[in-house]
Amino acid sequence: MLEDILRQVQTGELSVEEAKERLKPFDRLGFANVDLHRPKRQGFPEVVFGEGKTADQIIAIVRTLKEHDDRVLVTRVTQDKAAAVRALFPELVYHDAARLLYWKKEQAKTKETDAYIAVICAGTSDLGVAEEAAITAEMFDCEVRRFYDVGVAGIHRLFHHIEAIRAATVSIVVAGMEGALPSVVSGLVSHPVIAVPTSVGYGAHFQGLSALLTMLNSCAPGISVVNIDNGFGGGYSAALIHRLACQKG
């Protein structure tokens, strides 16, 4: 990219000021410094955590990202904030259950490949977190296959899909209650498993702590655990693994 910009300055296609604008590492908005070089360092643009930000702050950050990147992802967005953002940027899509706002340029479509990430969800109550993980992975050019409502209370439902799950490069397993599903999946596959505990459950569940501890204490090897309800973290980690697997393939 640097060579392209220098070449354009040399040929007169870009002015020095325009080149400086393109090369600046972050954009100062007063309340935020938007990281513009993250795609160069990590391969993925900065993702916006919407919780705690006002609609106006999200709008300003989205405007900057759209000027510099080919995709935008905002997590933990309420319906009211999403409506305010989409009033100015109607091309953004809002997923209510996952609480995600996202957009990708048409030319930045997911690459066609036979490789995919398996997103496995224990129960219907976990769907919001599972969709946060799945859409995050899709936003970073990963093919995703969803296997939902296959929890341990009816383990035969998981076995019905097990060959397709085994063929994935990595599995994201989302579960609440006692959080046992990642251990079961990890014992049946030969690829990495990203476990995502959810805050779904009754009183002694402690808002997801019991599921988190189960996953951290799993006897099955190959499991990495993200924080409670952190579908984004699970999707991002899986996307990194998937990208490496596809490069080697």
Side-chain angles (χ1 to χ4, degrees):
M1 180 180 178
L2 176 59
E3 289 182 358
D4 290 338
I5 292 174
L6 292 175
R7 193 175 295 112
Q8 289 175 44
V9 171
Q10 186 179 40
T11 60
E13 296 175 61
L14 277 180
S15 69
V16 172
E17 288 303 315
E18 288 171 330
K20 286 170 63 179
E21 178 69 19
R22 288 198 187 183
L23 290 171
K24 67 181 181 180
F26 57 88
D27 195 8
R28 296 181 178 89
L29 300 181
F31 58 88
N33 293 316
V34 183
D35 189 350
L36 303 178
H37 281 193
R38 195 167 300 189
K40 300 180 185 68
R41 299 194 315 271
Q42 299 183 310
F44 300 137
E46 181 174 8
V47 175
V48 184
F49 183 66
E51 192 173 304
K53 292 182 176 67
T54 67
D56 287 342
Q57 288 172 336
I58 295 172
I59 287 168
I61 295 170
V62 167
R63 180 178 291 112
T64 294
L65 290 173
K66 285 184 90 278
E67 288 173 356
H68 292 87
D69 296 313
D70 60 5
R71 67 202 70 198
V72 172
L73 178 61
V74 189
T75 68
R76 301 300 170 94
V77 185
T78 63
Q79 289 183 346
D80 291 345
K81 290 179 185 177
V85 176
R86 294 192 72 249
L88 291 177
F89 302 104
E91 63 273 24
L92 268 68
V93 176
Y94 181 62
H95 193 293
D96 186 32
R99 294 183 291 168
L100 291 178
L101 263 175
Y102 56 98
W103 163 83
K104 188 190 291 189
K105 277 186 181 178
E106 193 166 340
Q107 64 265 34
K109 288 181 178 178
T110 300
K111 299 171 185 175
E112 292 186 10
T113 174
D114 293 332
Y116 57 88
I117 295 171
V119 179
I120 305 162
C121 181
T124 305
S125 297
D126 304 309
L127 280 178
V129 178
E131 277 300 298
E132 184 182 33
I135 294 170
T136 296
E138 288 173 335
M139 283 296 296
F140 297 135
D141 298 331
C142 301
E143 181 72 25
V144 170
R145 295 194 188 180
R146 293 161 169 81
F147 305 92
Y148 288 175
D149 197 22
V150 293
V152 296
I155 200 68
H156 56 290
R157 299 172 299 177
L158 176 69
F159 294 152
H160 181 72
H161 302 287
I162 194 59
E163 293 307 319
I165 292 170
R166 282 174 172 157
T169 58
V170 54
S171 287
I172 305 168
V173 185
V174 181
M177 299 291 187
E178 83 286 7
L181 186 59
S183 294
V184 175
V185 172
S186 186
L188 296 170
V189 302
S190 60
H191 57 247
V193 171
I194 310 294
V196 186
T198 74
S199 55
V200 173
Y202 294 103
H205 183 258
F206 299 111
Q207 291 77 51
L209 182 59
S210 63
L212 173 64
L213 292 176
T214 296
M215 295 174 186
L216 287 172
N217 286 286
S218 174
C219 64
I223 296 177
S224 299
V225 186
V226 299
N227 213 339
I228 299 166
D229 290 336
N230 189 9
F232 163 73
Y236 195 101
S237 296
L240 291 172
I241 294 169
H242 180 77
R243 182 173 64 177
L244 288 172
C246 291
Q247 287 173 350
K248 289 181 179 180

